[in-house]
Amino acid sequence: RLHSQTPTLVLVWGRRALRGALVIAALCSSLQYFYGQRNDGQWLHRWDVYHQVFGAKYLAELGYFRTYECTWEIDQQHAKHFAKVETMREISTLKVGKVEAIVGERDCEPLFSPDRHQQFVVDIEAMWALGGHSMWKTLFGDKGFNGTPFHAWVLLQLLRGSDLDYWDLVGLALIDVGLLLAAFVVVARVWDIETAAIAWLFWAANYPNDFAFMGGSLLRFDYIAMLIFALAAIKRGHWALAGTCVAWATMVRAFPAVFALGLAIKAGADLIATRELPNHYLRFFVAYTVAMLVMFGLSLTLAGLEPWVEWIANIRTHTEHTRGFRIGFKHMFMLDGSLSDDANFVGWAAKTANYRPRAAWFWFTVAILLAPLLLAARKLDAVTFTALFATGGFLLFTIATRYYYAMMVLPILIDRPLLRDRKHLLLTALLVASAVVLHALRGVNPHVPFLYNTACSALFSAWFVIVGALLWIDPELRDRPAR
């Protein structure tokens, strides 16, 4: 009898050992991810904190386009910290020029009330006191604050009463760490510990999602935590909660609306097949709509509709051309000139010009790539379809900055037993392999456009092609459990 139980005991203890090893690996990678990757030896990401704080706190006075020039101009009237800054980017056009030409007429002070002007001066001093003084020579060459007005409203609530000293800002930056840890704890509860650990290991290894890029700043990861919470809520049947979470993600970053679009397509497929719309979809979209309206209303308390008008204009300018740090399938239609170094590199405006006559082919290819997933919408469960569509739609429809490819963790959270479903295990293994390849390529060729426009775009696109191929073979993405 003991002999007959031996295989079962081996499997049980083998799984426990695997679980323990995965948890230990995840804990070690967490330490490396959250603390080992730092910015100039400091945990606080001062460069991005400046954009988040000044962009949100003074949005009513400066809008999206005047943060740099007014920081420089008003400082010139007092401490002259930035006197050695020679060039600055005009955010409205993204063109870089001499500071005096960009600033032009000294007209920033009338934008502020006396109290707000004094607070602006104090905040400049506080930011200067954080150190990193050499960064100011290049920081004004970045592209400004790009969060939505609702994102600015949330930041403003967090910043109330803050003196912008180092530890105050670290405390606010730790909110992101708490949200991420909470999200993966929820994954461990709703899926299982193994899935949470494997998802986290990929998260920490996914090169475009390096913590040093956005970690140590303010509310840079809330959107992805909310999308993970939403998948968990759908899996547990809490559809209104899921709608609220996706509404938050949409209102702070806009592109997570692709998640809601995926669920709408799934609802439409079920409606066509059964001629009846299940009540849970209604709960999701009612909650999504109501939450969006409430958040939009809160954002209007900043300065009415004007910030939204400027934000749309700002994003339109930012998305007119790609940039070196961006990733997306559209880059496959811009492979012109040098791909691996600056020699004969085709610039961003030229890439856009080269893409335009190929746009029809791009959209035709997008339709081909999405077809297997759309045709499988009826057979896939809501969690699986939405996770795959949110990731695929994000990859295909946008050319997004590298750190937003935290989205690539979502397919690991489809509604399949990760360690017992061969197809799911294959797709996850390919994601992990892509992370390994990207780190290896970084060591061989660190040329930024090559790493992101070309390598990341090609690897993630190839992964989605494999997703489509598996869906053609089996629309339910099911396989016999591995023994």
Side-chain angles (χ1 to χ4, degrees):
R1 184 175 179 180
L2 181 62
H3 178 74
S4 65
Q5 292 179 342
T6 300
T8 301
L9 290 173
V10 170
L11 289 174
V12 169
W13 283 103
R15 178 165 183 174
R16 288 178 179 174
L18 176 61
R19 178 184 295 173
L22 287 172
V23 169
I24 291 171
L27 291 174
C28 291
S29 68
S30 297
L31 181 62
Q32 169 62 20
Y33 185 76
F34 286 127
Y35 186 72
Q37 304 178 52
R38 289 176 288 173
N39 295 279
D40 298 326
Q42 290 202 26
W43 190 80
L44 190 68
H45 195 332
R46 295 161 297 178
W47 180 295
D48 198 62
V49 164
Y50 162 77
H51 288 92
Q52 294 287 86
V53 170
F54 280 68
K57 196 169 183 179
Y58 298 100
L59 185 64
E61 289 88 358
L62 304 179
Y64 282 89
F65 301 129
R66 305 200 63 183
T67 308
Y68 291 163
E69 61 177 274
C70 289
T71 299
W72 185 90
E73 178 185 323
I74 290 178
D75 175 71
Q76 281 295 98
Q77 301 168 3
H78 298 86
K80 298 185 178 180
H81 291 308
F82 315 130
K84 294 183 179 180
V85 175
E86 298 177 351
T87 60
M88 179 182 294
R89 189 181 299 275
E90 185 176 35
I91 301 172
S92 60
T93 63
L94 297 185
K95 293 179 180 178
V96 176
K98 294 292 185 181
V99 167
E100 292 290 347
I102 299 298
V103 172
E105 183 180 352
R106 307 297 175 88
D107 57 355
C108 286
E109 186 170 349
L111 299 174
F112 298 87
S113 69
D115 288 344
R116 292 282 286 172
H117 178 270
Q118 181 59 35
Q119 186 62 57
F120 194 70
V121 173
V122 169
D123 287 347
I124 290 174
E125 288 296 326
M127 190 61 59
W128 181 262
L130 293 177
H133 302 158
S134 61
M135 76 179 182
W136 293 102
K137 293 181 180 180
T138 54
L139 183 143
F140 293 143
D142 206 334
K143 302 176 186 67
F145 173 69
N146 300 314
T148 66
F150 176 69
H151 178 66
W153 181 87
V154 175
L155 286 174
L156 193 58
Q157 310 318 304
L158 295 177
L159 290 167
R160 290 189 188 281
S162 172
D163 294 327
L164 302 189
D165 64 50
Y166 183 82
W167 290 111
D168 273 0
L169 292 171
V170 167
L172 294 177
L174 284 171
I175 294 173
D176 271 339
V177 177
L179 282 172
L180 288 176
L181 292 176
F184 284 93
V185 167
V186 167
V187 171
R189 291 289 302 272
V190 175
W191 281 265
D192 52 54
I193 292 175
E194 294 90 339
T195 298
I198 291 170
W200 177 258
L201 288 170
F202 168 71
W203 171 281
N206 184 20
Y207 178 59
N209 187 40
D210 193 310
F211 189 71
F213 296 151
M214 282 298 108
S217 186
L218 312 182
L219 286 190
R220 282 300 201 164
F221 294 91
D222 56 334
Y223 77 94
I224 190 66
M226 289 298 170
L227 294 182
I228 292 172
F229 291 146
L231 283 178
I234 293 173
K235 188 172 168 66
R236 283 290 177 89
H238 304 303
W239 292 81
L241 176 59
T244 304
C245 290
V246 179
W248 181 286
T250 302
M251 287 298 293
V252 295
R253 293 295 163 199
F255 67 81
V258 73
F259 187 106
L261 176 60
L263 198 58
I265 293 172
K266 170 61 178 169
D270 288 353
L271 176 62
I272 292 170
T274 64
R275 298 185 180 181
E276 183 179 350
L277 185 64
N279 186 54
H280 51 257
Y281 291 126
L282 292 175
R283 294 202 303 274
F284 176 91
F285 284 106
V286 168
Y288 179 74
T289 303
V290 170
M292 291 266 286
L293 290 173
V294 170
M295 294 171 195
F296 179 72
L298 291 173
S299 73
L300 295 180
T301 63
L302 292 177
L305 280 172
E306 185 60 27
W308 282 103
V309 174
E310 281 202 5
W311 177 78
I312 292 171
N314 187 38
I315 294 301
R316 185 181 294 118
T317 301
H318 278 248
T319 55
E320 183 179 1
H321 306 299
T322 185
R323 291 292 185 272
F325 289 131
R326 294 187 186 173
I327 300 167
F329 178 65
K330 190 180 288 187
H331 288 112
M332 300 297 96
F333 293 78
M334 300 179 179
L335 298 181
D336 299 274
S338 174
L339 301 177
S340 58
D341 55 46
D342 284 326
N344 300 313
F345 180 76
V346 176
W348 313 123
K351 283 185 179 295
T352 301
N354 290 334
Y355 161 77
R356 283 173 181 151
R358 307 166 189 168
W361 288 107
F362 165 74
W363 287 109
F364 174 76
T365 309
V366 167
I368 295 297
L369 292 177
L370 278 178
L373 181 58
L374 296 176
L375 292 172
R378 179 70 186 99
K379 295 184 178 181
L380 293 173
D381 62 89
V383 171
T384 299
F385 180 83
T386 305
L388 292 176
F389 185 88
T391 308
F394 178 65
L395 171 68
L396 298 176
F397 298 148
T398 70
I399 296 182
T401 301
R402 54 186 175 181
Y403 41 79
Y404 291 132
Y405 272 80
M407 292 280 286
M408 294 304 296
V409 77
L410 296 182
I412 300 177
L413 307 180
I414 65 175
D415 200 6
R416 300 288 185 274
L418 177 53
L419 296 180
R420 299 194 302 277
D421 187 296
R422 283 193 287 259
K423 289 192 177 79
H424 188 12
L425 194 58
L426 171 64
L427 292 177
T428 301
L430 289 173
L431 283 177
V432 174
S434 73
V436 174
V437 170
L438 288 171
H439 279 284
L441 287 175
R442 179 192 183 188
V444 173
N445 187 347
H447 185 55
V448 168
F450 167 73
L451 283 174
Y452 297 106
N453 297 173
T454 305
C456 288
S457 298
L459 282 171
F460 292 147
S461 297
W463 176 85
F464 194 70
V465 168
I466 294 170
V467 171
L470 291 178
L471 286 167
W472 276 122
I473 296 169
D474 183 355
E476 296 186 37
L477 257 185
R478 290 191 180 279
D479 203 338
R480 292 181 182 177
R483 292 174 179 246

